[in-house]
Amino acid sequence: MLLCGVGFLDYLTGPELSFSLFYLFPIAILSWETNSQAGIGISFISACIWFAIDVLSGAHYSSPVIYFWNTMIRFGFFLLVVLLIKVAKALEFEKRIARTDYLTGAINSRFFNELLQMEIDRSSRYQHSLTIAFIDVDNFKSINDQFGHSVGDKVLETVASAMQQHLRKTDVVARVGGDEFAILLPEADMDVAQIVISKMQNGLLNEMQVNHLPVTFSIGVMTFNIPTNSADEMLNMADKLMYSVKNHGKNNVSYVTD
């Protein structure tokens, strides 16, 4: 529809005004949202429409061959745009893969550290609190041993998805180990952290019950009122707090303010 609209306006304005830029919009949109094959197809259609408009609008050239020559040049120009979009999509995909855990869709530990360091710098500047939660899936090894790794993978996918559903939009979930996750809660003091993490924990446990999965969660939650530590140090503190929960019976949450 957009391409037809561009072609109609091109016809109404006559051969004196160039509409080449406007033909790129439908080509770029279709190429980005679908694939390069569709982009090639709409590029060919665009070139043909432009050819028809040249003929119908009464554009005169010294030789009829010029109509076809111009059409091929325009088609080549459109194909170049399709190729550039294909490269851009490939780069975007590689960038996303480099930052994302392949199994759960959560971000990976490397990108989490980068985001955490950025949040540390911002919180230090504006004197805001931030909270980190470190989560371990209790009895995960028994799931793999009893049901197999495919079920174990499904558990991790379900856990990551449930976390996202029960957290704030600004919170960040990362898979930082085999069955370990970390959560960054920006601008969250202890009171906010307790509300958010408690809601998330209940949501996780309900999700496990619905799916008949015998796992619970050990969670260590560290709130930093004025972050001065490095990202690695803060993660290690939350990690140790989580292990203290595991060593005292599992399936619990420990909150500490630094």
Side-chain angles (χ1 to χ4, degrees):
M1 291 176 63
L2 182 58
L3 178 59
C4 289
V6 170
F8 182 66
L9 290 175
D10 192 9
Y11 173 72
L12 290 180
T13 55
E16 294 184 356
L17 292 178
S18 176
F19 263 65
S20 57
L21 179 64
F22 298 99
Y23 281 94
L24 296 180
F25 286 111
I27 293 172
I29 292 171
L30 191 63
S31 298
W32 184 267
E33 295 297 333
T34 56
N35 51 51
S36 57
Q37 286 77 13
I40 294 171
I42 196 171
S43 296
F44 179 75
I45 294 172
S46 298
C48 291
I49 289 175
W50 203 337
F51 170 81
I53 290 172
D54 267 358
V55 174
L56 295 174
S57 62
H60 297 290
Y61 300 110
S62 58
S63 171
V65 177
I66 296 178
Y67 285 109
F68 298 96
W69 173 262
N70 287 347
T71 299
M72 294 305 298
I73 293 297
R74 291 160 183 164
F75 182 48
F77 174 63
F78 295 152
L79 289 182
L80 180 61
V81 173
V82 174
L83 176 61
L84 291 175
I85 291 177
K86 182 179 180 180
V87 172
K89 288 178 67 175
L91 292 174
E92 179 66 23
F93 177 76
E94 291 296 329
K95 181 179 178 181
R96 187 169 64 251
I97 289 297
R99 293 179 170 183
T100 306
D101 174 58
Y102 72 96
L103 177 62
T104 63
I107 67 173
N108 57 29
S109 58
R110 179 178 179 181
F111 188 43
F112 182 81
N113 275 35
E114 294 178 11
L115 294 179
L116 176 55
Q117 189 59 57
M118 291 172 58
E119 188 60 31
I120 290 170
D121 296 339
R122 192 175 71 89
S123 296
S124 298
R125 179 177 180 181
Y126 296 106
Q127 303 293 296
H128 291 161
S129 301
L130 71 84
T131 297
I132 300 173
F134 212 99
I135 301 152
D136 183 85
V137 182
D138 300 326
N139 309 317
F140 182 71
K141 186 177 183 301
S142 65
I143 292 290
N144 281 334
D145 294 341
Q146 184 176 353
F147 301 105
H149 288 281
S150 60
V151 175
D153 290 346
K154 186 64 177 178
V155 170
L156 295 176
E157 292 176 24
T158 303
V159 169
S161 175
M163 284 182 184
Q164 296 283 6
Q165 291 176 15
H166 297 288
L167 291 170
R168 305 174 303 173
K169 291 183 178 180
T170 55
D171 300 330
V172 180
V173 177
R175 184 186 179 196
V176 295
D179 60 346
E180 294 178 338
F181 294 84
I183 301 174
L184 170 61
L185 293 85
E187 299 188 22
D189 58 18
M190 178 60 73
D191 293 335
V192 172
Q194 288 180 334
I195 294 172
V196 174
I197 296 300
S198 177
K199 177 184 175 183
M200 183 206 68
Q201 182 194 25
N202 291 332
L204 285 174
L205 293 174
N206 289 335
E207 194 72 29
M208 296 304 105
Q209 289 179 359
V210 168
N211 289 278
H212 306 290
L213 298 171
V215 297
T216 54
F217 304 92
S218 296
I219 307 174
V221 183
M222 288 290 306
T223 297
F224 299 86
N225 292 322
I226 303 178
T228 57
N229 308 76
S230 70
D232 288 336
E233 290 173 336
M234 293 169 68
L235 276 172
N236 287 334
M237 294 171 71
D239 188 21
K240 290 178 181 178
L241 188 59
M242 179 273 293
Y243 272 104
S244 72
V245 174
K246 289 188 74 71
N247 293 332
H248 290 83
K250 303 180 181 180
N251 191 26
N252 206 348
V253 186
S254 180
Y255 297 91
V256 171
T257 300
D258 181 58

